[in-house]
Amino acid sequence: DTTVVVVSAFGGITDILLQCSQLAAEGHETYKEKLHEAELRHLNTVKELITITQQSAVLSLVKTLCNEIEDICTGIFLLKELSERTKDRIVSYGEILSSKIITAKLNTDEIECEWVNSTQLITTNANYSAAVVDFAVTNKKIANHFKTINSRLFMMPGFIASDTNGVNTTLGRGGSDYTAAIVAAALNVKVLEIWTDVSGMMTADPRLVTNAKIIPQISYQEAMELSHFGAKVIYPPTIQPVRGKGISTWIKNTFAPEDAGTVIQKESDNNGN
Ligand code: ASP
Ligand code: MG
């Protein structure tokens, strides 16, 4: 079986990158410190995950990518100008960095894993920061790409895509879930798993209601409605591609993998079946 793993940027990194670009646009040189903070987070993660003798290639990749971010921020700082298009370019580094680091981690553990460039597979319009996916083109590209390769494990950066001119776009905040659903539907997979930091979708917002309970099973329609309010467990557009293919989607907790989680699937004929 083939497994495709889609990753988000490391926690908080997308926000930090946006802050960097904002600071630079406002003429604050502190963008350099913020960027340095982001670079350190990634370098330290590499050092934690990968044995010393195998770190150097990944460390230099992290540095190269962070230098690119810095160059773009310098441009923003000099021009005092920041477009949605440039923001998309900046934030895209968050997912590039995380996916490259995790691929390296697996490969050094001798788990063969192939990095896939999402921006070459997911095609959108040029509505930067909330680009609309061209499913006809994207589905074809994804199906073709995975057909010609024999690897079993793939790693893809979530959230990022490109327009028809090859310019970076993004799918909206939280969009990595959506990337995973797009790939799942294009490949007709058996199951999509969304690994997050809560144990599933809840009957109510646990911050407001004390006896809120995890929902073991829910229909696509109900999940779509629930995802629009309260504690946002998944990015709402995620449901649409998997619903179209009837792909069961599990919400699982990274920090409590033994918890059952929530399964989103087709409406059953009678209760509980
Ligand atoms: N890194 C992006 C964000 O923070 C996408 C994601 O996390 O799903 O919005
Ligand atoms: Mg996310």
Side-chain angles (χ1 to χ4, degrees), residues 7-10 12-15 91 94-95 158-159 172-177 235:
V7 293
S8 277
F10 294 149
I13 293 296
T14 305
D15 287 332
V91 289
E95 271 70 12
F159 178 55
R173 295 302 307 270
S176 293
D177 298 345
Y235 182 49

Side-chain angles (χ1 to χ4, degrees), residues 26-45:
E26 290 165 1
H28 299 299
E29 269 190 278
T30 47
Y31 77 83
K32 292 180 185 165
E33 287 149 42
K34 270 263 162 249
L35 201 53
H36 188 62
E37 184 187 319
E39 179 170 346
L40 271 183
R41 279 271 310 279
H42 290 94
L43 293 174
N44 289 337
T45 305

Side-chain angles (χ1 to χ4, degrees), residues 150-215:
N150 303 318
S151 302
R152 287 169 173 250
L153 181 60
F154 297 91
M155 180 72 55
M156 285 178 80
F159 178 55
I160 61 176
S162 65
D163 68 15
T164 49
N165 294 317
V167 178
N168 262 153
T169 58
T170 60
L171 304 177
R173 295 302 307 270
S176 293
D177 298 345
Y178 189 36
T179 302
I182 293 165
V183 175
L187 296 178
N188 266 309
V189 300
K190 282 186 225 111
V191 61
L192 169 65
E193 295 176 2
I194 308 267
W195 287 85
T196 182
D197 54 4
V198 290
S199 293
M201 297 186 104
M202 307 200 74
T203 49
D205 186 337
R207 291 169 304 187
L208 305 174
V209 178
T210 47
N211 62 348
K213 291 197 175 59
I214 300 283
I215 302 165

